[in-house]
């Protein structure tokens, strides 16, 4: 584009600004298109200047407090007007309009990204974690759209600056989420063998002890983690702590003390608080598994499961927006705990012979425990391994008895009865098994 052409377009744009929207509508479609080209060109130059000045630490005073979307807001309306009035058979004009449309789309994307990036720091500082996460997620999508759909209409330097700022803001938000996760789920070793988890329902201040405008809740944290696709790593850490600090110790020794307390702002679960000094020992792996042992495991594990649902997911909708996080944690826990439960309790409960089939009553608490996992939504029907294993066990025994019975019948049928002596009857005795 030569200088004279640019000058004429600027003059046309200036004339349009003076005459207002009514003046734009009164012009011919070709004149409207020429004016629109000039306005888009100026908007693009202005956007590049705003981005470069803002992120290179020499903010131009004319951009101070300016909303990047203000300038391009009316351009979309003008583009729509030109699009509706231009002659479809005017191919050159249509090509010009398509070029303007792509350039305008690039400007709009740049303006949205720039506007979102400017707000993220304040959102984090105010404690609007969910809003900040939504902004970061949207920026990522907009950058991808900018790269895929209109890359040649966006200045590479400006896009590079926005991408760099996006990575910085995302890293800052991730650091804030790490801090919030550590504050909301504190796991402490109290003494030699006592472990406690303190769940804070809301966090009032950031890591610098500056108060948030509004407290950050567990729901806010989960929303942010889900938006940034970070919840898997965080739930893995929680699952590992629950498995090795609570579930496995209670499986080994269900007599271990377990206590839950709750106040207005937080809840606590601790293990070993009353047995640490009593010298209680874990039950040995070769010990006979009794009904009371299985009942204790059921009850203690159920207490931990209830704590997960009611306190760790306090005031969180697990059936809607946060269902994926809750289900992921449940699946992670069950995948690790089921093999241990099978080896430690279910296998030792399998009867040594068919006559001891009645001993399976000891398995009832395990079935009830699995039902509790299902009721709380931590597992699904297709993951009920205890129920499937016991059903398979009973089917195996029934099948064995059936085979034994059929073998006995076959043996009787194969017996040679030619020398049978009839006593007190007439003629040969009919085979009563037929």
């Amino acid at each position: 584009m030569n200088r004279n052409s640019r000058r004429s377009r600027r003059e046309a744009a200036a004339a349009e600004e003076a005459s207002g929207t009514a003046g734009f509508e009164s012009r011919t479609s070709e004149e409207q298109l020429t004016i629109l080209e000039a306005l888009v060109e100026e908007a693009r130059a202005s956007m590049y200047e705003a981005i470069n000045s803002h992120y290179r630490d020499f903010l131009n005073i004319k951009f101070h407090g300016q909303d990047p979307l203000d300038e391009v807001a009316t351009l979309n309306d003008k583009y729509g007007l030109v699009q509706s009035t231009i002659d479809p058979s005017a191919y050159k004009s249509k090509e010009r309009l398509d070029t303007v449309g792509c350039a305008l789309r690039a400007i709009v994307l740049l303006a949205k990204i720039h506007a979102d990036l400017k707000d993220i720091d304040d959102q984090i500082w105010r404690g609007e974690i969910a809003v900040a996460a939504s902004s970061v997620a949207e920026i990522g999508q907009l950058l991808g759209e900018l790269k895929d759909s209109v890359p040649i209409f966006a200045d590479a330097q400006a896009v590079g600056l926005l991408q760099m700022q996006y990575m910085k803001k995302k890293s800052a938000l991730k650091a804030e989420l790490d801090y919030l996760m550590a504050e909301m789920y504190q796991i402490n070793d109290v003494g030699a063998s006592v472990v406690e988890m303190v769940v804070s329902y809301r966090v009032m201040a950031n890591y610098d002890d500056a108060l948030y405008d509004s407290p950050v809740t567990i729901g806010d944290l989960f929303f942010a983690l889900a938006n940034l696709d970070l919840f898997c790593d965080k739930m893995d850490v929680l699952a590992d702590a629950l498995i090795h600090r609570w579930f496995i110790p209670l499986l080994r020794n269900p007599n271990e003390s377990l206590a839950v307390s709750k106040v207005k702002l937080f809840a606590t679960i601790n293990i070993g608080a009353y047995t640490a000094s009593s010298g209680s020992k874990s039950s040995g792996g070769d010990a006979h598994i009794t009904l009371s042992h299985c009942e204790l495991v059921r009850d203690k594990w159920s207490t931990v499961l209830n704590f997960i649902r009611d306190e760790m997911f306090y005031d969180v909708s697990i059936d809607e927006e946060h269902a994926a996080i809750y289900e992921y944690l449940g699946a992670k826990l069950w995948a690790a705990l089921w093999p241990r439960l099978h080896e430690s309790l279910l296998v030792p409960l399998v009867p040594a012979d068919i006559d001891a089939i009645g001993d399976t009553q000891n398995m009832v608490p395990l079935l009830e425990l699995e039902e509790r996992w299902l009721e709380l939504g931590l597992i699904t029907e297709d993951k009920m391994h205890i129920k499937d294993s016991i059903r398979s066990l009973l089917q195996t025994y029934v099948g064995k008895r059936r085979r034994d019975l059929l073998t006995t019948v076959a043996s009787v049928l194969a017996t040679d009865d030619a020398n049978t002596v009839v006593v007190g009857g007439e003629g040969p005795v009919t085979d009563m098994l037929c």
Side-chain angles (χ1 to χ4, degrees):
M1 184 183 298
N2 57 45
R3 292 184 178 180
N4 291 332
S5 176
R6 289 181 179 177
R7 186 180 298 112
S8 64
R9 292 188 179 184
R10 290 193 188 100
E11 291 171 354
E16 163 55 20
E17 289 296 323
S19 61
T21 304
F24 183 82
E25 293 178 351
S26 65
R27 295 175 181 270
T28 66
S29 59
E30 284 298 317
E31 291 174 334
Q32 289 176 346
L33 181 55
T34 300
I35 292 171
L36 184 60
E37 285 175 328
L39 292 174
V40 168
E41 184 70 20
E42 289 190 358
R44 179 158 55 179
S46 178
M47 183 57 58
Y48 293 158
E49 187 179 357
I51 292 172
N52 280 283
S53 66
H54 185 86
Y55 298 114
R56 291 188 182 277
D57 299 324
F58 55 92
L59 181 62
N60 191 318
I61 190 65
K62 78 175 184 177
F63 298 115
H64 179 70
Q66 186 182 55
D67 186 346
L69 293 171
D70 283 346
E71 187 175 359
V72 299
T74 58
L75 292 182
N76 275 322
D77 295 334
K78 288 182 170 64
Y79 175 77
L81 179 62
V82 176
Q83 194 175 34
S84 64
T85 59
I86 198 168
D87 184 1
S89 62
Y91 297 110
K92 289 186 177 180
S93 296
K94 277 183 66 32
E95 288 180 358
R96 288 170 60 194
L97 184 62
D98 290 341
T99 301
V100 169
C102 291
L104 182 57
R105 180 57 184 160
I107 296 170
V108 171
L109 291 172
L110 289 170
K112 287 182 178 179
I113 294 168
H114 182 40
D116 285 345
L117 283 171
K118 292 200 303 181
D119 292 337
I120 290 176
D121 287 338
D122 287 339
Q123 290 165 353
I124 295 175
W125 185 259
R126 293 193 299 267
E128 298 173 359
I129 301 301
V131 178
S134 296
S135 297
V136 169
E138 182 184 28
I139 291 169
Q141 294 175 351
L142 293 175
L143 283 170
E145 186 177 346
L146 187 63
K147 179 181 178 181
D148 295 336
S149 60
V150 286
I152 63 173
F153 294 94
D155 179 69
Q157 185 180 38
V159 174
L161 282 173
L162 292 176
Q163 288 176 327
M164 181 177 66
Q165 291 300 317
Y166 165 69
M167 296 304 297
K168 288 182 178 179
K169 306 298 184 185
K170 186 175 182 179
S171 296
L173 180 56
K174 288 174 67 175
E176 192 75 9
L177 295 178
D178 289 342
Y179 160 76
L180 290 169
M181 194 75 187
E183 286 293 301
M184 288 182 174
Y185 300 100
Q186 296 183 32
I187 300 174
N188 307 312
D189 290 301
V190 184
S193 57
V194 180
V195 182
E196 70 173 9
M197 177 188 290
V198 181
V199 177
S200 298
Y201 302 143
R202 49 186 64 89
V203 177
M204 305 295 181
N206 63 20
Y207 55 86
D208 288 326
D209 289 330
L211 291 175
Y212 294 126
D213 287 357
S214 57
V216 180
T217 66
I218 294 176
D220 294 335
L221 173 63
F222 286 167
F223 181 88
L225 291 174
N227 263 268
L228 299 180
D229 199 23
L230 297 173
F231 69 86
C232 290
D233 290 341
K234 304 302 181 186
M235 292 303 105
D236 287 349
V237 173
L238 282 181
D240 187 69
L242 288 166
I243 290 167
H244 294 97
R245 310 303 288 274
W246 274 273
F247 283 110
I248 291 179
L250 290 171
L251 179 61
R252 291 173 178 167
N253 180 18
N255 292 306
E256 191 75 75
S257 175
L258 184 69
V260 174
S261 62
K262 180 178 179 179
V263 294
K264 185 176 182 180
L265 296 179
F266 62 88
T268 303
I269 184 170
N270 58 54
I271 181 172
Y274 302 104
T275 56
S277 60
S278 65
S280 71
K281 298 180 180 179
S282 299
S283 54
D286 297 330
H288 179 63
I289 303 300
T290 63
L291 176 61
S292 61
H293 181 98
C294 294
E295 289 174 339
L296 273 174
V297 172
R298 175 200 62 196
D299 295 342
K300 294 293 179 68
W301 274 30
S302 294
T303 298
V304 179
L305 295 177
N306 291 335
F307 186 84
I308 293 172
R309 172 61 189 90
D310 298 334
E311 313 307 336
M312 294 178 66
F313 283 77
Y314 177 81
D315 203 23
V316 170
S317 174
I318 62 168
D319 298 323
E320 297 176 3
E321 55 186 352
H322 301 310
I325 299 179
Y326 185 73
E327 291 168 1
Y328 179 86
L329 178 61
K332 192 76 178 180
L333 290 170
W334 189 239
L337 291 172
W338 152 244
R340 297 175 182 273
L341 197 64
H342 180 267
E343 180 183 356
S344 300
L345 293 186
L346 199 54
V347 170
L349 288 173
V350 175
D353 58 72
I354 197 169
D355 295 328
I357 193 69
D359 289 346
T360 54
Q361 64 178 337
N362 292 352
M363 299 180 183
V364 172
L366 302 183
L367 288 169
E368 294 171 343
L369 174 60
E370 189 176 53
E371 284 291 338
R372 187 59 183 155
W373 281 78
L374 183 65
E375 289 170 6
L376 291 173
L378 289 164
I379 60 171
T380 53
E381 289 276 0
D382 61 325
K383 299 298 181 182
M384 298 190 70
H385 302 313
I386 296 176
K387 183 178 180 180
D388 292 341
S389 296
I390 294 177
R391 180 190 292 119
S392 176
L393 170 66
L394 295 176
Q395 289 174 345
T396 299
Y397 277 121
V398 170
K400 183 177 183 300
R401 294 200 64 172
R402 181 173 178 273
R403 288 193 300 272
D404 291 345
L405 180 59
L406 290 175
T407 300
T408 302
V409 171
S411 176
V412 171
L413 291 176
T415 302
D416 183 8
D417 56 359
N419 296 323
T420 301
V421 177
V422 179
V423 179
E426 298 180 357
V429 176
T430 333
D431 189 354
M432 299 180 64
L433 295 175
C434 294

